[in-house]
Amino acid sequence: MNRKGFTLIELAIVLVIIGIILGAVLKGQDLIRNARAKKLIVQTTKWEAFTWSFMDQKGRFPGDEKNNGIIGDQNGETGSDNSAIDEIDNENYTNPPKKTITLGSSTFYVKMGNDDNDNGTTPHDLIALCASNDCSSTFDDDAIKYAEFVDTSIDGEANAQNGLVRGTGTITLNGDGDTITAATPDSSDDYSSSDKAIIYFFDKKP
């Protein structure tokens, strides 16, 4: 009985083909992730643009009831009518930014507010991308990659404790569910599974 197996050349060709297919699949996944990350950046910068547009029209930031340059600070700007998100929505802008940004299995919830500096300096305004609507859930691996992408795109590097874009695992919302009254940036350079939000200091770097 004549039993003929695969030659080494045939096996090598099969392995090369498998390698090409796997490479194409992995490259495709990278392209999809990059496209989703770009969507996140576009939506974030869209919120920034609409915030500045509101400032141009009203002479103050949305959610800045006291007109002191601070979005939702803890000295009176905590009512449900003072949500920066709601104020932008109520202006009936054409093509307003989305409050919820879904990227595959990851969803980010947009909030606005300040970092409530308690060291005697003025709080800094920020836009936050939380991993859950109440900003209590922590990042999964995909969310960490998206955070690094956003940070690199805006700051030139992924550093969770420096620059305009940072990570935070300590974040507080007031009663309206949209306004951040405190956000403490990471003490580590790396984004991690303990982070709950990406914070973007769009006005000025702390």
Side-chain angles (χ1 to χ4, degrees):
M1 186 174 185
N2 185 18
R3 293 183 179 180
K4 186 177 180 181
F6 290 107
T7 67
L8 289 176
I9 293 176
E10 289 170 333
L11 286 174
I13 292 172
V14 170
L15 290 175
V16 167
I17 293 171
I18 291 173
I20 291 172
I21 292 172
L22 287 175
V25 169
L26 293 175
K27 183 64 176 177
Q29 290 175 339
D30 286 342
L31 291 173
I32 291 170
R33 182 181 289 112
N34 287 345
R36 289 172 176 168
K38 287 176 182 175
K39 175 184 175 183
L40 183 59
I41 293 167
V42 167
Q43 288 299 320
T44 303
T45 54
K46 196 172 183 180
W47 273 106
E48 179 184 8
F50 276 74
T51 299
W52 285 112
S53 177
F54 188 98
M55 165 68 89
D56 289 341
Q57 293 178 31
K58 306 288 187 180
R60 63 175 178 85
F61 283 132
D64 178 12
E65 184 181 80
K66 294 176 66 179
N67 200 18
N68 59 1
I70 303 169
I71 298 175
D73 70 7
Q74 292 184 346
N75 298 316
E77 299 167 320
T78 55
S80 59
D81 293 336
N82 301 320
S83 164
I85 301 292
D86 288 341
E87 286 207 68
I88 289 177
D89 277 349
N90 291 338
E91 285 299 306
N92 296 315
Y93 289 112
T94 302
N95 296 320
K98 297 178 181 179
K99 291 191 281 188
T100 304
I101 306 168
T102 301
L103 313 167
S105 62
S106 298
T107 299
F108 289 94
Y109 300 81
V110 181
K111 312 291 179 181
M112 297 182 74
N114 68 84
D115 61 353
D116 185 35
N117 281 336
D118 57 4
N119 57 7
T121 61
T122 303
H124 303 90
D125 296 309
L126 58 86
I127 296 169
L129 305 171
C130 293
S132 61
N133 194 37
D134 61 0
C135 297
S136 64
S137 298
T138 55
F139 284 175
D140 59 16
D141 289 343
D142 282 341
I144 291 171
K145 288 182 174 65
Y146 289 131
E148 292 171 342
F149 194 103
V150 171
D151 198 351
T152 300
S153 296
I154 293 175
D155 285 336
E157 66 172 344
N159 189 313
Q161 68 169 331
N162 290 312
L164 294 172
V165 178
R166 306 183 187 189
T168 180
T170 305
I171 193 164
T172 304
L173 290 175
N174 74 359
D176 66 35
D178 278 332
T179 306
I180 291 170
T181 54
T184 304
D186 286 352
S187 58
S188 169
D189 291 346
D190 299 323
Y191 290 92
S192 71
S193 58
S194 63
D195 284 323
K196 297 178 180 178
I198 306 165
I199 50 178
Y200 172 34
F201 294 104
F202 68 92
D203 184 14
K204 56 184 177 295
K205 186 167 68 173

